[in-house]
């Protein structure tokens, strides 16, 4: 038999120990997630411009333009799509300055189809995961 001062699981007065525990279990990941937001999570890459030059081989310049880049954020090309060859090593990460960054790569030969579309995958520091964009030259 219960006393009038006892609270049952369905009472409206105070939350049960179980309800407090469940509420705490849900609140901790939310608070931790808010504190761990990456520097550029809310910003996005506005554009990736591509220019080319050269005769036998080509110099391909990628100009990344950002919004709200933070100091010391970097961008790095991590992969190219099928058919795009780079002579030498992949370029190192480049620091974003004034919301833009320029990465130049050399390709050993002209593509057989100059209108072919290639992809470039790049990674921005402070952002979870990489992004891919498409270009042709």
């Amino acid at each position: 038999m219960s006393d009038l001062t006892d609270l049952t699981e369905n009472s409206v007065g105070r939350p049960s120990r179980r309800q407090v525990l469940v509420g705490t279990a849900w609140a901790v990941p939310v608070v931790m997630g808010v504190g761990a937001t990456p520097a550029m999570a809310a910003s996005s890459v506005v554009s990736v411009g591509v220019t080319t030059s050269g005769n036998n081989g080509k110099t391909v310049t990628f100009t990344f333009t950002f919004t709200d880049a933070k100091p010391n954020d970097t961008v790095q090309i991590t992969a190219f799509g099928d058919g795009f060859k780079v002579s030498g090593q992949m370029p190192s990460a480049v620091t974003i300055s004034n919301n833009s960054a320029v990465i130049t790569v050399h390709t050993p030969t002209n593509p057989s189809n100059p209108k072919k579309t290639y992809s470039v995958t790049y990674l921005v520091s402070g952002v979870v995961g990489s992004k891919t964009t498409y270009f042709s030259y």
Side-chain angles (χ1 to χ4, degrees):
M1 180 168 204
S2 63
D3 191 308
L4 289 177
T5 59
D6 290 342
L7 292 176
T8 62
E9 190 70 32
N10 296 328
S11 68
V12 182
R14 286 189 262 165
S16 68
R17 284 180 278 166
R18 178 183 169 91
Q19 290 169 325
V20 171
L21 182 62
V22 169
T24 304
W26 279 101
V28 170
V30 171
V31 171
M32 289 176 67
V34 170
T37 303
M40 288 185 63
S43 62
S44 60
V45 175
V46 174
S47 64
V48 179
V50 180
T51 59
T52 62
S53 65
N55 292 328
N56 295 333
K58 286 201 174 209
T59 300
V60 182
T61 303
F62 296 87
T63 303
F64 296 84
T65 305
F66 300 87
T67 56
D68 301 326
K70 305 293 184 260
N72 301 317
D73 277 340
T74 62
V75 61
Q76 182 174 15
I77 294 175
T78 57
F80 289 100
D82 292 339
F84 187 88
K85 305 275 188 246
V86 176
S87 60
Q89 295 180 333
M90 292 291 280
S92 300
V94 173
T95 302
I96 300 166
S97 175
N98 296 322
N99 288 322
S100 69
V102 174
I103 298 176
T104 301
V105 297
H106 301 282
T107 183
T109 58
N110 291 330
S112 58
N113 179 1
K115 298 296 183 190
K116 181 174 180 173
T117 300
Y118 300 95
S119 65
V120 59
T121 302
Y122 55 94
L123 181 66
V124 178
S125 65
V127 177
V128 176
S130 58
K131 298 184 182 297
T132 300
T133 194
Y134 298 90
F135 66 96
S136 59
Y137 78 104

